[in-house]
Each structure stands twice: as structure tokens, then as C-alpha cells.
Amino acid sequence: MAQSNCTQATEFSLVGFTEEPVTQVYLFLLFLLTYLVTIGGNLGIIILIRASPKLHSPMYHFLGNLAFVDLCCSTIITPKMLVDLMSEKKSISYGGCVAQVFLFDTFAITECFLLAAMAYDRYVAICHPLLYPLVVSPKCCFQLVTGSYLVGLTNGMGQTISMSTLSFCRSIVIDLFFCDISPLISLSTSDTTLSHIILTTAASLFGVSSILVILLSYVAIIATILSINSAEGKHKAFSTCTSHLTTVSIFYGASFFTYLNPISNSSRGADKWAVVLYTVMTPMLNPLIYSLRNREVKEALRRLLKRKHFKMW
């Protein structure tokens, strides 16, 4: 009977970070700067890869797509968060919430599989260097990138279907700064069995499989590096993985803390800042990591700037 009298909520309230006006201004400036750096860094990586022939290799093809996905992930969340920080009423319509769930869950899983593809690329390059041009061919790169987007799209559609089965019969307050499927399931007044099944299946099927590819790739990589006799050879082989390994550590470290914390359900206190690291800071850090720690990227940037300088004169 309660469900038959249910009036579906048309919008959700977002708690955000704080109600203190001065703190909101500081946070607005911090996140605005972060977003500008994210846009500049990721667009810069994409443009640099397209403009530099020496970066037209599988590893940088994956990196360009990772930069695009990071740009999309940040744009899905940060502009709305900036508006809310300067608004008294922090709310999002039901349709906007559905769109945010769909897009974020699509690109988040796409990033997982792109990181797995990059780990596989490094595995073949270090463990089977002679076979690398044959194994990681342009066709293989296209299939891996396309497959990553298709898997992400499948996850996004699954989570959207999950949300469409949920009923919200009262004013819904989400103790977060964007719509995430996990708190929405916990706030629903309807039977959430199907939603939990979809969420658990997606996490197990997509999340675990991508993590396994990364772990197995790095186990083989480390074993191969340890078998190299010279210290210089070990350093050279490992240096090609450090940027990717750093990115993987930040991405999965923050996501594990966010979604596997059983105490606070990813929405209160320190957990909220872990979500910030996962959704806002990581897309900014990735291009910085690859530009600061990657010699080929730095050299390509130097050549491009020198070319532009000569054209100006």
C-alpha cells in the first residue's frame, strides 16, 4: 500500500561539503583551478600525441584515449559541483541524476579497461619485445580501445536500468556532491534486490577482471625485469612502467577506499574526500604524471614548442 501511494521524487538534494560561505568560496577556487588544470593537461596530452609523429605508438594511443576519458569524467561532475558551491539550493533533477549515473559509470569502467590495456601493452613490450609489433598491432589497439568503451557503455546502461527500478517516495538528500548509484540504492524506498545484483555483478565482472589483467601483467613484468642482468637494463625497463603504475595506484587506491569501506558507505567525512580524489583529482594528476615522468612526452613537448617558436619568428 505504501508503494501504491508513492509520489516519485522529481529532484534530489546534494549535501556537498559545507554550509560555511567562506569555506565554500575557497573550495570553489580550489576546484575551479583543478578543473582548469584538468582541461589544459588532458587536452594538451591529446594535442601533443596527435601533433608528434614519435608519439604515434600503441602506448600513446592508449594514453590519448585515457586523457579523453579523464576529461569526460571530470566534466560530468566538476562544473555542477562548482555551481552548487556558489548556490544556496544544491539540487539536481531526476533526469540530471540519471544522466550523471549513466555517464560517470560508463567512463569510470572505460578507464579501468584502458588501464588494463596499457598494462597489457607494457607486458608485451617488456616480456616479448620481438613480438611487440605483431601482437600490439594497429588492429589490436583499435579492438582494445573500442572494447573498453563498449564495456563502459554496458556498465553505464546496466546502472541506468538499475536506477530506473528504484522508487524515491520522499525528499531525497544525497550526502555527496554528485549522483552515485551506491548511495541512491541505499536511499530508495523500493525493493533494491535487482539493483544490488546489477551493482555486484558489474563490480565483479568488470572491476575484478580489469584488476586481474593489471596484476598478472605486472607480475610477469617484474619477473622479467628481475631476470635482466644489468642494473641499467632493469632501470630502463622499469622506467617505461612507472607513469602507468603511479596512475593505477592512485586510481585504484582511491576507488577501493571509496567503494569498499564498509563503515561509512562512501559518503561521509574522510570518505567524501576520497571520492574527490577519485573523481576530481585523479583526472588532473594523470596528465601531470605522464608529462613529468615520461621522457618521450617531455621531448615531444620541447620539439613542438620549439617548432611553434620558429614559426612565430
Side-chain angles (χ1 to χ4, degrees), residues 4-5 44 78 96 105 113 118-119 143 153 165 174 198 200-201 211 228 246 258 269 280 286 300 303 311:
S4 63
N5 295 327
T78 309
D105 286 331
F113 277 83
M118 294 171 78
Q143 290 173 338
L153 183 62
T165 66
I174 304 174
I198 293 174
T200 304
T201 302
I211 293 169
I228 299 173
T246 304
T258 300
V280 179
N286 286 348
R303 285 194 297 269
K311 283 185 178 180

Side-chain angles (χ1 to χ4, degrees), residues 244-306:
H244 177 258
L245 197 55
T246 304
T247 298
V248 167
S249 300
I250 294 173
F251 179 82
Y252 280 106
S255 60
F256 284 164
F257 188 86
T258 300
Y259 294 109
L260 298 183
N261 190 335
I263 298 174
S264 54
N265 203 24
S266 312
S267 59
R268 293 192 297 271
D271 291 341
K272 194 177 292 186
W273 290 102
V275 179
V276 170
L277 176 61
Y278 172 61
T279 59
V280 179
M281 294 300 182
T282 299
M284 178 194 70
L285 292 173
N286 286 348
L288 296 178
I289 291 168
Y290 275 95
S291 60
L292 295 175
R293 298 185 62 89
N294 192 300
R295 188 177 62 186
E296 289 182 329
V297 171
K298 288 189 286 188
E299 289 179 356
L301 179 60
R302 198 177 298 116
R303 285 194 297 269
L304 184 63
L305 292 175
K306 191 178 294 185

